Structures are given as structure tokens and as C-alpha cells.
């Protein structure tokens, strides 16, 4: 759900810039998550036969950092804050696209992409306060006025993304607390056992714990095999009902 929401916003940003007359090849954002980076990208209709829209494509942060170090980045000068720019053309464009294809684990389409953009594209990117980047890849130069206008949309996106990621983090923390509480209920029931008959309650506690965490389960079962009598006893909780079969 999170990946769909972020990708939907990037698609909307692309559409807005297109309506404003920006000749974009694609709009993309990278979210930093620990040691990984997560790419969400929307490509223009003219290029979707080469690259589909990318949703939550993960790759190592260190690999990207090292790749940037090895490339000959010719940063465009005179761009308004917070933008930085780069021109990729010819063999360098193919090399950069090929690296992305390998890193994302997709078929190498770098040469087809280079042909589609006539061997040249410009990348305008900015660092987000919400731990990530946003890049606009264009087929022609974006004016400072266009970039200043884009900055207003990026500011709104950055703020909204920050709030979204903050809420997701809180949800994850609350989820972990709920899991710990459920584990403690099952653990307490198991530690209170005095006989095999008490497995009825453990099976029930296990079922209720998983059901309360949102798992779609039909039943929870505890099986005990007695080697001396060659019998199998099962304590089963099924849709909230406790049953014991031997």
C-alpha cells in the first residue's frame, strides 16, 4: 500500500509538470531506508515501451554511492536552489542507464533508451529533507523559472512525504508493541500450564493472538505425539471454538 501511495504521488507530479509544458522523460524519487534505497518512477508515454513505471525497486545505498563517485558528473551551473543538474549523452548516457538496469535487476535497455532520447538527456535533482531525492529527467533544458516553479511542488511533496513516512514509522512501532503484547499473552498462558489439558488454553491464546494481529487463519493446532502409546493428540482452536481430538 505504501509503495502504491508514493508512486501515485510521483505520477501526479509528472502529470502536473506535463500540463505546465515541461518536456519530461520521467520523474522519479528515491527514498532512503537504512542500507537500501527505494526507487519510484513515472515515465512519459513516449518512453513507457522501453521502461515501465517503477514501483518500490530496491537497491543497495552503498552501490549507488560508489557509482556516483566513479561517474564524471558535469554539474550544471547557475541553477536555483535546491536544484543540481547533470547532462548525460552518448556513451556516458548508455553507461549510466546500463548501470541502473543491472542494479534494478531488469533487462538492459540502455541503448534503446538512448535512441529514444536522441542520445542526450538532462537530469535535475534535489535532496529532500525527508531522507531522499527527487529527479526530473528532461529532453531539453529547463529554465530557472521552470525550476523555481517546480521547487514549490517539491516543497509540498517533501513535507507530505516526511509526514507520511513519520506516520508509517509510528504505525510500525505500534505494530511491534502489539506483537510483543500478543507474544506475552501466549507466553504467560504456556508458562501457567500444569498438565496437557492446559494446552486447550494455549491453543486458544495462540489463535486469538494471531487473529488479533490481523492474520487470516482458519485454526491453530498443537500436536503432541506419544511414542510409548503411538498416539497423536491435537488441541485445535477453530474460528474461536476449542476442540480436543485424540
Amino acid at each position: 500500500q505504501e509503495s502504491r501511495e508514493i508512486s501515485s504521488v510521483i505520477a501526479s507530479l509528472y502529470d502536473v509538470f506535463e500540463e505546465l509544458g515541461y518536456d519530461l522523460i520521467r520523474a522519479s524519487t528515491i527514498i532512503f531506508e537504512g542500507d537500501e534505497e527505494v526507487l519510484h518512477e513515472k515515465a512519459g508515454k513516449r518512453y513507457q515501451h522501453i521502461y515501465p513505471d517503477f514501483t518500490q525497486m530496491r537497491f543497495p545505498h552503498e552501490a549507488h554511492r560508489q557509482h556516483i563517485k566513479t561517474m564524471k558528473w558535469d554539474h550544471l551551473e547557475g541553477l536555483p536552489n535546491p536544484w543540481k543538474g547533470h547532462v548525460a549523452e552518448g556513451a556516458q548516457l548508455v553507461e549510466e542507464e546500463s548501470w541502473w538496469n543491472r542494479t534494478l535487476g531488469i533487462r538492459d535497455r540502455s541503448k534503446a533508451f538512448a535512441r529514444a532520447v536522441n542520445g542526450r538527456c538532462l537530469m535535475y535533482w534535489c535532496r529532500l529533507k525527508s531522507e531522499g531525492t527527487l529527479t526530473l529527467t528532461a529532453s531539453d533544458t529547463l529554465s530557472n523559472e521552470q525550476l523555481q516553479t517546480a521547487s514549490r511542488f517539491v516543497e509540498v511533496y517533501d513535507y507530505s512525504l516526511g509526514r507520511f513516512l513519520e506516520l508509517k514509522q509510528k504505525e510500525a512501532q505500534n505494530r511491534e508493541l502489539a506483537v510483543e503484547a500478543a507474544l506475552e499473552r501466549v507466553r504467560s498462558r504456556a508458562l501457567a500450564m500444569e498438565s496437557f489439558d492446559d494446552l486447550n488454553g494455549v491453543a486458544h491464546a495462540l489463535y486469538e493472538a494471531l487473529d488479533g494481529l490481523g492474520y487470516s487463519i482458519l485454526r491453530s493446532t498443537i500436536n503432541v505425539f506419544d511414542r510409548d502409546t503411538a498416539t497423536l493428540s491435537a488441541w485445535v482452536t477453530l474460528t474461536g471454538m476449542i476442540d480436543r481430538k485424540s
Side-chain angles (χ1 to χ4, degrees), residues 199-211:
L199 283 173
N200 277 345
V202 177
H204 185 61
L206 180 60
Y207 180 95
E208 287 191 329
L210 294 175
D211 184 63

Side-chain angles (χ1 to χ4, degrees), residues 6-26:
I6 295 177
S7 294
S8 177
V9 173
I10 289 300
S12 296
L13 271 177
Y14 180 94
D15 293 341
V16 166
F17 291 135
E18 189 176 54
E19 289 175 6
L20 291 174
Y22 292 47
D23 190 8
L24 295 184
I25 296 170
R26 58 194 175 198

